Amino acid sequence: MAGLAGSVAELDAVVSVCRACPRLVTWRETVATEGKRASFADQPYWGRPGPGFGDPAPAILVIGLAPAANGTNRTGRMFTGDRSGDWLYAALHRAGYASQPTSTDAGDGQSLTGVRIVAAVRCAPPGNKPDPAERHTCGFWLDRDLALAAPGLRSMLALGAIAWDATLASARRLGWVVQRPRPRFTHGAETTMVTTTDRSIRLVGSYHVSQQNTFTGRLTETMLDEVLAGL
Ligand code: SF4
């Protein structure tokens, strides 16, 4: 299905009806019905895979881990409606890529210029932990995102080690030349890959914008701003 998408719009439409991972389909739909957070109980939940969001011809792809159960799985937009998204969109706004510093719901008027946000896994996983088979299966959607973005792509920002590894795996499946041995993730890690049309694209790593990192000071606004400024 992913390979048939001829445009970003088609890709986003098709991924949103994917049911390839039984455990994640059950989880995303259960959260969206009887498992809603109490503070959102009166809201309809998206309850489907999170499509990419942003510029359809981006210079920068931001790759997250997976939707949050009460964030993207509720709002239907990547990194929208949770604390992680608050951090990411505020930073993208400071860097000049986002029209607004917040992203609260799919109808809030937010837009991105030059940036598209996707994820290594498109369905909310229990405990924010997709298993290896789910990561592999969902990688084919990421492959298509990379392939469609490649003609204008300058940099990719992987938020966390899972996104870093997923992006490298996608690049290899696409036949891009990737550094060997596999470069390891850390905050500020960087590697360059070469596409089948000889375009060089940088992959940069950042600690994920999860509360686990931002509340503890492991990732500060300054650290994230510096990474974005270098893309
Ligand atoms: S995680 Fe990815 S491959 Fe699995 S059901 Fe969701 S969209 Fe499909």
Side-chain angles (χ1 to χ4, degrees):
M1 288 168 68
L4 295 175
S7 69
V8 164
E10 281 182 25
L11 180 63
D12 289 343
V14 178
V15 73
S16 68
V17 296
C18 181
R19 303 182 68 83
C21 306
R23 185 183 79 115
L24 299 190
V25 171
T26 299
W27 178 250
R28 78 191 192 204
E29 293 179 354
T30 300
V31 170
T33 50
E34 66 243 42
K36 295 180 182 181
R37 183 175 291 167
S39 53
F40 303 130
D42 61 342
Q43 296 185 17
Y45 272 47
W46 173 250
R48 295 198 268 154
F53 175 67
D55 196 323
I60 297 169
L61 264 186
V62 175
I63 302 106
L65 165 57
N70 293 284
T72 298
N73 193 52
R74 174 172 60 90
T75 64
R77 182 199 282 165
M78 281 289 167
F79 281 96
T80 294
D82 59 28
R83 295 283 174 84
S84 298
D86 292 347
W87 258 73
L88 180 59
Y89 283 97
L92 290 171
H93 185 255
R94 290 194 296 273
Y97 295 117
S99 63
Q100 305 174 171
T102 60
S103 183
T104 56
D105 63 77
D108 64 6
Q110 175 66 273
S111 64
L112 299 177
T113 302
V115 170
R116 173 169 160 86
I117 305 174
V118 298
V121 173
R122 310 292 172 114
C123 291
N128 291 323
K129 288 193 173 74
D131 68 28
E134 291 158 351
R135 287 160 55 181
H136 176 74
T137 302
C138 209
F140 294 97
W141 295 113
L142 185 60
D143 295 358
R144 197 66 191 136
D145 250 313
L146 265 60
L148 288 170
L153 198 58
R154 182 176 74 234
S155 303
M156 298 185 283
L157 174 63
L159 298 175
I162 289 177
W164 174 267
D165 289 344
T167 305
L168 288 169
S170 275
R172 277 194 297 270
R173 281 194 295 268
L174 291 170
W176 297 6
V177 178
V178 177
Q179 184 185 328
R180 300 266 182 192
R182 186 178 68 181
R184 294 176 67 87
F185 170 80
T186 188
H187 183 83
E190 183 174 337
T191 186
T192 299
M193 49 190 74
V194 180
T195 72
T196 52
T197 56
D198 277 337
R199 294 195 74 252
S200 293
I201 297 173
R202 295 166 62 228
L203 172 63
V204 179
S206 169
Y207 292 139
H208 194 278
V209 290
S210 67
Q211 290 184 74
Q212 203 177 359
N213 291 329
T214 58
F215 273 26
T216 58
R218 188 171 193 236
L219 178 67
T220 65
E221 287 185 356
T222 302
M223 289 166 68
L224 187 53
D225 288 350
E226 286 174 353
V227 166
L228 287 173
L231 295 177

